[in-house]
Amino acid sequence: MDLMNRINRGLEKAIAHATSTTQPPTICAAVKHAVFSGGARIRPRLTLAVASACGDTNPEAADAAAVAFELMHCASLVHDDMPCFDNAGMRRGVPSIHAKFGEPIALLTGDALIVLAMETIARECALTPALTSPLIAIVSRAVGTPHGIVAGQAWEIEDDIPLTEYHRAKTASLFTGACAAGAVSAGHDPQKWMSVGAALGAAYQVADDLRDIAGTADEIGKPCGQDAANHKPNYAEQNGVEATLIRLKTLVGNAVDSVPECPGAPMLRQMIEGEAIRLVPKKLASFAA
Amino acid sequence: MDLMNRINRGLEKAIAHATSTTQPPTICAAVKHAVFSGGARIRPRLTLAVASACGDTNPEAADAAAVAFELMHCASLVHDDMPCFDNAGMRRGVPSIHAKFGEPIALLTGDALIVLAMETIARECALTPALTSPLIAIVSRAVGTPHGIVAGQAWEIEDDIPLTEYHRAKTASLFTGACAAGAVSAGHDPQKWMSVGAALGAAYQVADDLRDIAGTADEIGKPCGQDAANHKPNYAEQNGVEATLIRLKTLVGNAVDSVPECPGAPMLRQMIEGEAIRLVPKKLASFAA
């Protein structure tokens, strides 16, 4: 089955478990809006691509981990868009959760998605119980404190922000975890795969910074210039467009080179290079080729 | 070991895993403040008391589940106190998280505690992997949507609030889950224990409503009259103090009567009755006896 079909089917199944006609209707609508308003599903595709490259011996576990990473990513966007952080009214080209449903529901929607991510792994690994703890541990490390997304966001309120650690925690941790989870779900050692995720995550952050200063609102589904507006460090702003494109190419190259030898390696390397081109703002694409 | 010692040791171990000298310092301080600023630890004591009554055959799993329920409870208090909900500046007699550390950190602290609760179960059940999925499922059901705390909070923004379902989701779900987790950790059927938790949770909500209208700020660690200020339904306000005391006695009686026969049943029944007296505002204690 196509990776995107597996992801969508998994997300629909997870959301069906988390919603009910007897629950308060607004949060039900908000949870669906947060998950099904577009999104490139980059992280779960990475989990499934790594699992496939490793033989995909436990596809239910791989699907569950992929879904968990996408739900965690959606949760982080919902909370990050709230007025006390980025105060972003648009996301993926539609109103953000707090803009559409109010702040209390946005807060609860993020919480619900975090819980649902973990619950999905526990439920779907019922037949592979030895995988539940390792996968929950990988997801937790990528999301929580001391070094996951939550820690990354928490750097933003400190006076001295260590840029590398900030980006590693806020962005790369999910990519690293997504790769590790794909390997573990297929019974492979996650260590070898973590450097692929770390390089990809760093590349994604650099591309995101680039799109914030050189993209268009249509292209990225939200206003540009948000980092400057929110006084957040931005690699492209600090180093210029040309140096940023070079850095992006280097990081993508590192990711490709880090893919361990395995039957699915050529396919995965090709996928990584394809993704990388999509990340560059259209007007810079010719420079990036 | 005394139940309270087990809980405190478990919480300290969990927090040690979630904090580090290389993480952003404010969230580190906030997570500790959220967990170690008092609190009666009612839910984790319930988990351990039920586990003990069932023979406590896997004490590490019981401890992990107890810690997870307390961390989830702390997370819900942090988010519930935020300006978009109760806007409460005091909690457990000290400043609430957003009052002390700001809104962004409060939002992240709740997220971190939710992740840590799940992570703790996954880590501590490494030697009893068959328990990880059932315990995560029980915690998720108690906390998430469609019927856990998150759903309970989400009822507050609806126009028509079904009082029984609201209180069941917002308060009783954690008590029901705490009992079920205690039984499961010791290899017992959770079904029989869920009615104990449901009755206790309902009793706790009634007592909480009573304390909000008839307690003192010193006694409850936060200002009284919050339900009226926040337009939240309150059982004691709707039914009067006398009827509320009768309802409380009935619910505690139901909880005691629901305790299944087992070696630890007499101890547990005694503990429930002892807890119930502590829940009544001091000035009403003579009426409740």
Side-chain angles (χ1 to χ4, degrees):
Chain A
M1 192 190 289
D2 172 63
L3 299 190
M4 209 61 164
N5 283 345
R6 284 174 65 176
I7 293 162
N8 286 331
R9 197 187 52 168
L11 287 169
E12 275 159 22
K13 192 175 173 191
I15 295 298
H17 276 280
T19 52
S20 143
T21 52
T22 58
Q23 92 182 113
T26 312
I27 181 103
C28 181
V31 161
K32 290 177 181 171
H33 184 86
V35 176
F36 297 119
S37 298
R41 315 295 194 207
I42 296 174
R43 296 153 193 80
R45 279 195 288 136
L46 195 55
T47 299
L48 293 189
V50 171
S52 299
C54 293
D56 202 20
T57 44
N58 299 294
E60 293 81 5
D63 286 354
V67 164
F69 274 102
E70 183 63 15
L71 294 174
M72 288 297 192
H73 173 58
C74 293
S76 81
L77 298 181
V78 172
H79 280 178
D80 201 22
D81 283 342
M82 286 181 68
C84 69
F85 277 109
D86 290 358
N87 196 19
M90 295 293 284
R91 166 68 65 182
R92 295 170 170 173
V94 293
S96 58
I97 298 294
H98 72 92
K100 190 173 169 80
F101 300 99
E103 276 191 68
I105 288 294
L107 180 51
L108 295 172
T109 297
D111 293 353
L113 293 174
I114 297 172
V115 173
L116 183 60
M118 303 298 201
E119 188 177 16
T120 300
I121 292 176
R123 187 175 48 239
E124 301 299 327
C125 290
L127 296 178
T128 50
L131 291 176
T132 311
S133 286
L135 288 176
I136 298 249
I138 288 170
V139 173
S140 301
R141 203 174 307 134
V143 174
T145 55
H147 300 300
I149 315 177
V150 166
Q153 297 262 110
W155 275 121
E156 291 175 11
I157 65 111
E158 301 291 339
D159 289 332
D160 285 318
I161 305 179
L163 197 60
T164 306
E165 174 55 25
Y166 165 60
H167 282 160
R168 188 187 296 139
K170 188 171 175 191
T171 306
S173 64
L174 272 197
F175 286 82
T176 309
C179 284
V184 162
S185 73
H188 279 229
D189 178 5
Q191 273 323 105
K192 288 186 194 170
W193 288 92
M194 290 169 81
S195 50
V196 181
L200 272 180
Y204 184 81
Q205 179 65 54
V206 163
D208 202 50
D209 286 3
L210 195 59
R211 291 187 301 168
D212 188 57
I213 70 160
T216 64
D218 266 2
E219 213 172 349
I220 68 174
K222 59 184 180 181
C224 295
Q226 289 299 297
D227 288 339
N230 292 306
H231 308 289
K232 284 190 195 177
N234 179 304
Y235 187 92
E237 178 68 33
Q238 288 176 11
N239 298 279
V241 167
E242 201 173 338
T244 304
L245 283 168
I246 292 168
R247 173 84 182 139
L248 181 58
K249 271 192 176 180
T250 306
L251 289 167
V252 172
N254 291 350
V256 167
D257 294 343
S258 305
V259 173
E261 283 313 322
C262 61
M267 177 276 294
L268 189 61
R269 294 191 184 114
Q270 204 174 6
M271 177 183 152
I272 290 171
E273 284 173 335
E275 287 291 323
I277 290 169
R278 289 182 15 160
L279 293 178
V280 176
K282 285 200 180 66
K283 72 176 182 192
L284 300 174
S286 58
F287 300 97
Chain B
M1 192 190 289
D2 172 63
L3 299 190
M4 210 60 166
N5 283 345
R6 284 175 66 175
I7 293 162
N8 286 332
R9 196 186 53 169
L11 287 170
E12 275 160 21
K13 191 175 174 192
I15 295 298
H17 276 279
T19 52
S20 143
T21 52
T22 58
Q23 92 182 114
T26 312
I27 181 105
C28 181
V31 161
K32 290 177 181 170
H33 184 85
V35 176
F36 297 119
S37 298
R41 314 295 193 208
I42 295 175
R43 295 152 195 81
R45 280 195 287 136
L46 194 56
T47 299
L48 293 189
V50 171
S52 299
C54 293
D56 202 20
T57 44
N58 299 294
E60 293 82 6
D63 286 354
V67 165
F69 274 102
E70 183 63 15
L71 294 175
M72 288 297 191
H73 173 58
C74 292
S76 81
L77 298 181
V78 172
H79 280 178
D80 201 21
D81 283 342
M82 286 181 67
C84 70
F85 277 109
D86 289 359
N87 196 19
M90 296 293 284
R91 166 68 68 183
R92 294 170 169 172
V94 294
S96 58
I97 298 294
H98 72 92
K100 190 173 170 81
F101 299 98
E103 276 191 68
I105 287 294
L107 181 50
L108 294 172
T109 297
D111 294 354
L113 293 173
I114 296 172
V115 173
L116 183 59
M118 302 299 201
E119 189 177 15
T120 300
I121 291 177
R123 187 175 49 240
E124 299 300 326
C125 289
L127 297 177
T128 50
L131 292 176
T132 311
S133 286
L135 289 176
I136 299 253
I138 288 170
V139 173
S140 300
R141 203 174 307 133
V143 174
T145 55
H147 300 299
I149 315 176
V150 167
Q153 297 263 110
W155 274 121
E156 291 176 11
I157 65 112
E158 301 291 340
D159 288 333
D160 284 319
I161 305 179
L163 197 60
T164 306
E165 174 55 25
Y166 165 60
H167 282 160
R168 189 187 296 139
K170 188 170 176 192
T171 306
S173 64
L174 272 197
F175 286 82
T176 308
C179 284
V184 163
S185 73
H188 279 228
D189 178 6
Q191 275 322 104
K192 289 187 194 169
W193 288 93
M194 290 169 81
S195 49
V196 181
L200 272 180
Y204 184 81
Q205 180 64 55
V206 163
D208 202 48
D209 286 3
L210 195 59
R211 290 186 301 169
D212 188 57
I213 70 161
T216 65
D218 267 0
E219 213 171 349
I220 67 174
K222 59 184 179 181
C224 295
Q226 289 300 297
D227 288 339
N230 292 305
H231 308 290
K232 283 191 194 176
N234 179 303
Y235 187 92
E237 177 67 34
Q238 288 176 11
N239 298 279
V241 168
E242 199 172 340
T244 304
L245 283 168
I246 292 168
R247 174 85 181 136
L248 181 57
K249 271 193 174 180
T250 306
L251 288 167
V252 172
N254 291 351
V256 168
D257 294 344
S258 305
V259 173
E261 283 312 323
C262 61
M267 178 275 296
L268 190 60
R269 293 190 184 114
Q270 203 174 6
M271 177 184 152
I272 290 171
E273 283 173 336
E275 287 292 323
I277 290 168
R278 289 179 19 159
L279 293 178
V280 176
K282 286 200 180 67
K283 71 177 183 192
L284 299 174
S286 59
F287 300 98

